[in-house]
Amino acid sequence: MNAAFFTLHSGLPREAPGDEESLAWALARAGTPQDARILDAGCGPGADLKTLARLRPQATLTGVELHAPFVERVRAEQPGVRCVLGDMTSPPDGPYELIWSAGAAYGPGVRAALTAWARQLAPGGRVAFSDCLWRTERRSAAARDFWARDYPSMGDVHTHHTTVKAAGYRVLDARWLSDAAWEAYYGPLAARARALRADADEALTAVLDETDAEINLWRQHGDEFGYYLIVAEPAG
Ligand SMILES: C[S@@+](CC[C@H](N)C(=O)[O-])C[C@H]1O[C@@H](n2cnc3c(N)ncnc32)[C@H](O)[C@@H]1O
């Protein structure tokens, strides 16, 4: 992350679309026990770890994250969580009944992440993760340009299910995240961008402009792409 990007993104509650409703759905569809061991892979600043602590107060929670300031923040705000600085493809030792990941598996790549996670799942353990996918064949130039820069290998539902199967998993259920889940990310991001605008230097202004363009893209063309949440288990 460059300095201007981090100025904008430090202090935000979350770094990808997501909300309690979709996380509760995933826990229910995965049959995650009350006292489960749960890993949040690419936990960012820890929003989902807080929600997991509310939804599964008896669970043992671990986060793994590459970006050190996020790890420090989780450790400071959530002393009951083990948060490890590291790569989700070498996850902290489990085993886990659930490996959760919101909008982060694209970092190492979905297949690499799923392959690594399988080695840390408890018997009967499951994964639940979201990834951004194309929703339609009709794709505006603006959306194509943005995602070609941000996530060039972004797939669609068909290619995504093929990847999950090739990684050795069976999909138990899947759904799109709601607009409310996008607002949970973009709402605070847009407010922070507005607050920083007046005193922004050139580098930060460029980051704020890119962020406004990204949020406007979703508002205008958000029917063309979305975050798809899959619950899956090793196929055995
Ligand atoms: C889009 S953000 C989502 C963060 C968080 N899940 C949330 O919803 O707020 C993706 C996060 O994954 C982290 N990340 C990317 N690749 C990773 C990897 N290989 N191992 C661990 N974390 C990774 C990034 O540093 C970033 O914090």
Side-chain angles (χ1 to χ4, degrees):
M1 272 186 210
N2 69 38
F5 187 88
F6 191 61
T7 299
L8 172 61
H9 283 263
S10 59
L12 293 176
R14 61 180 309 120
E15 289 290 330
D19 60 1
E20 179 163 333
E21 182 272 327
S22 51
L23 184 40
W25 176 89
L27 291 171
R29 301 308 298 152
T32 305
Q34 289 297 329
D35 61 351
R37 293 160 293 187
I38 303 176
L39 173 69
D40 185 344
C43 62
D48 290 336
L49 287 164
K50 288 180 182 165
T51 306
L52 284 164
R54 273 200 308 278
L55 296 175
R56 288 289 183 279
Q58 294 165 40
T60 303
L61 301 179
T62 301
V64 62
E65 167 58 50
L66 270 184
H67 186 57
F70 288 156
V71 173
E72 285 159 21
R73 181 166 157 200
V74 171
R75 287 178 181 162
E77 291 181 359
Q78 303 181 70
V81 170
R82 174 175 64 136
C83 193
V84 177
L85 178 65
D87 194 311
M88 69 173 83
T89 58
S90 309
D93 279 348
Y96 303 99
E97 278 72 34
L98 180 72
I99 296 180
W100 164 259
S101 184
Y106 83 98
V110 168
R111 184 160 180 177
L114 286 173
T115 303
W117 297 346
R119 294 192 284 271
Q120 292 294 342
L121 284 177
R126 287 164 175 179
V127 301
F129 70 103
S130 63
D131 193 42
C132 198
L133 300 181
W134 291 109
R135 295 184 80 140
T136 59
E137 288 298 324
R138 175 188 46 77
R139 294 166 192 176
S140 59
R144 273 189 277 117
D145 287 353
F146 175 78
W147 290 110
R149 283 193 307 275
D150 227 58
Y151 190 5
S153 63
M154 190 162 97
D156 58 25
V157 169
H158 176 72
T159 59
H160 195 56
H161 278 253
T162 302
T163 301
V164 173
K165 196 172 166 193
Y169 286 78
R170 176 175 32 246
V171 173
L172 300 172
D173 211 341
R175 56 170 280 192
W176 294 100
L177 295 195
S178 67
D179 285 357
W182 282 86
E183 292 290 358
Y185 172 43
Y186 278 159
L189 179 61
R192 183 153 170 78
R194 274 195 303 277
L196 289 170
R197 175 75 70 179
D199 295 324
D201 63 13
E202 198 178 325
L204 183 55
T205 299
V207 169
L208 299 179
D209 290 347
E210 282 168 21
T211 298
D212 287 349
E214 177 184 338
I215 296 171
N216 285 337
L217 177 73
W218 175 68
R219 299 209 185 287
Q220 287 168 18
H221 299 288
D223 57 329
E224 298 172 15
F225 52 87
Y227 274 81
Y228 190 69
L229 175 57
I230 275 188
V231 178
E233 65 182 1

